[in-house]
Amino acid sequence: MPSLDQEDLREFHMGGLSDYTGEAIVPFLQAHQTTLRVVRIAVDASDGNRLERWSTITPLTFPVLHTLHLANMNALSPHMTSLIYRTPVLRDVVLKRIHSIRDMFLEATLQRQERLSRLTILDCPNLANNAIDRFFVKIKSRLRHVVLDTGYGLALPTLLSLAATHGETLKHVELNGDSFRGSDAGLLPFVEMLQPYGVLQHLTVGYSDALTPDTVHALADHPNLRSVAFIECHRLTDDAVRLLVDKSTSLKTIRVAHCRAVSRLTIHYARGVLGRDAVRDT
């Protein structure tokens, strides 16, 4: 790893190092802990890389770090938990494909953050829905941008906790997953709970049967909704898409990709209403 000890380093990105055990990362981060603002680390989980040399990272403090993205790590050790605990201005956190992460990580670290506004949790199947529920209720900050795919389906109470506690600030939501544990109403209660706040600007729903026609109808009543994306949502219908583009007064762009019940005629219809460039079907 190159020596940059004399520079005012603000960003650090590392990825694709399948055999690297992390022995040089800690002194490197230590040298730049007062200036680093963005850290993105993605290792190759397929080779079992556990970054076991991070045991000395605990004393480090990152006073200006605002973005931390961690992906493909087989072990999120207690030392990494301590790192996040010592980041007082953290605003943006991404946790992607970290199968070892547990509920305590949310409760002991992230919910203490007072400035966190963007949270992404993708394919972390050992995080229980009720732990995410508690996190949404207890976190000291208010979230504006949330991406969720826990790897095994989202429970409706989790989404209702998100809406109830962060609805006044929540502008961007992405929900992905091939399963959804809720009622036959799907995402309708979540969308209806957000509507009175009038804040939601973007919604993505992917690989889910939770997007019902009634849910899409309710989206049309969101006064500031500017864009939506529906990917492989097979309960979505032609009538629902047409109603949304006709009724919404704020919608600017829509993506409908690989939704079996939506026809090419409806895509052409939406383009006629919103404009050709405003509608994507891939």
Side-chain angles (χ1 to χ4, degrees):
M1 184 174 292
S3 175
L4 296 172
D5 292 344
Q6 303 305 315
E7 297 187 19
D8 182 13
L9 189 69
R10 297 190 177 192
E11 296 195 18
F12 173 61
H13 303 247
M14 185 192 81
L17 303 178
S18 60
D19 297 321
Y20 184 57
T21 57
E23 63 269 20
I25 292 181
V26 173
F28 180 82
L29 293 177
Q30 185 174 21
H32 302 283
Q33 61 184 305
T34 60
T35 61
L36 276 170
R37 289 161 172 77
V38 177
V39 172
R40 294 185 174 95
I41 299 175
V43 298
D44 189 349
S46 63
D47 287 340
N49 191 323
R50 301 180 66 86
L51 293 180
E52 66 269 17
R53 303 293 183 86
W54 286 45
S55 59
T56 59
I57 205 168
T58 302
L60 303 189
T61 299
F62 294 85
V64 295
L65 184 71
H66 57 72
T67 299
L68 179 65
H69 292 188
L70 304 174
N72 303 335
M73 297 171 65
N74 275 354
L76 191 65
S77 70
H79 311 295
M80 285 299 295
T81 299
S82 299
L83 182 156
I84 296 174
Y85 189 79
R86 297 167 181 266
T87 51
V89 299
L90 199 61
R91 299 196 304 263
D92 181 358
V93 171
V94 172
L95 305 171
K96 183 177 181 180
R97 289 194 293 272
I98 305 178
H99 291 191
S100 63
I101 194 171
R102 295 294 189 272
D103 300 346
M104 186 58 66
F105 175 80
L106 294 179
E107 298 173 3
T109 57
L110 286 187
Q111 76 179 29
R112 299 174 180 269
Q113 297 293 332
E114 297 183 353
R115 302 190 186 188
L116 187 66
S117 62
R118 298 171 63 97
L119 176 66
T120 297
I121 301 177
L122 296 174
D123 194 11
C124 297
N126 289 314
L127 282 178
N129 273 289
N130 58 4
I132 301 176
D133 297 350
R134 293 193 299 271
F135 168 75
F136 286 146
V137 171
K138 294 182 179 181
I139 186 174
K140 294 183 178 180
S141 64
R142 286 294 169 258
L143 299 171
R144 294 182 298 177
H145 183 120
V146 173
V147 180
L148 290 177
D149 173 4
T150 58
Y152 59 94
L154 296 167
L156 182 59
T158 300
L159 300 181
L160 296 183
S161 294
L162 174 63
T165 51
H166 302 274
E168 293 182 350
T169 57
L170 200 57
K171 295 182 178 181
H172 184 113
V173 178
E174 297 183 30
L175 304 173
N176 299 289
D178 58 4
S179 60
F180 178 83
R181 297 202 301 272
S183 67
D184 290 338
L187 291 173
L188 179 60
F190 173 67
V191 170
E192 288 182 331
M193 185 173 287
L194 288 176
Q195 193 275 333
Y197 299 111
V199 173
L200 185 67
Q201 295 180 1
H202 174 82
L203 176 67
T204 289
V205 180
Y207 316 100
S208 175
D209 289 333
L211 187 75
T212 64
D214 287 342
T215 301
V216 178
H217 294 173
L219 282 172
D221 295 325
H222 282 247
N224 289 300
L225 187 69
R226 298 181 62 83
S227 63
V228 294
F230 307 135
I231 302 99
E232 292 195 25
C233 296
H234 300 309
R235 294 175 70 183
L236 184 63
T237 64
D238 285 334
D239 288 344
V241 173
R242 293 185 182 218
L243 183 144
L244 177 62
V245 299
D246 282 339
K247 185 177 179 182
S248 176
T249 59
S250 58
L251 190 67
K252 302 298 182 184
T253 63
I254 181 171
R255 180 187 178 198
V256 180
H258 311 295
C259 300
R260 286 194 297 256
V262 178
S263 68
R264 294 294 303 170
L265 287 175
T266 291
I267 298 299
H268 289 307
Y269 179 86
R271 286 172 174 161
V273 176
L274 299 177
R276 182 174 182 82
D277 294 338
V279 181
R280 295 177 53 200
D281 61 348
T282 57

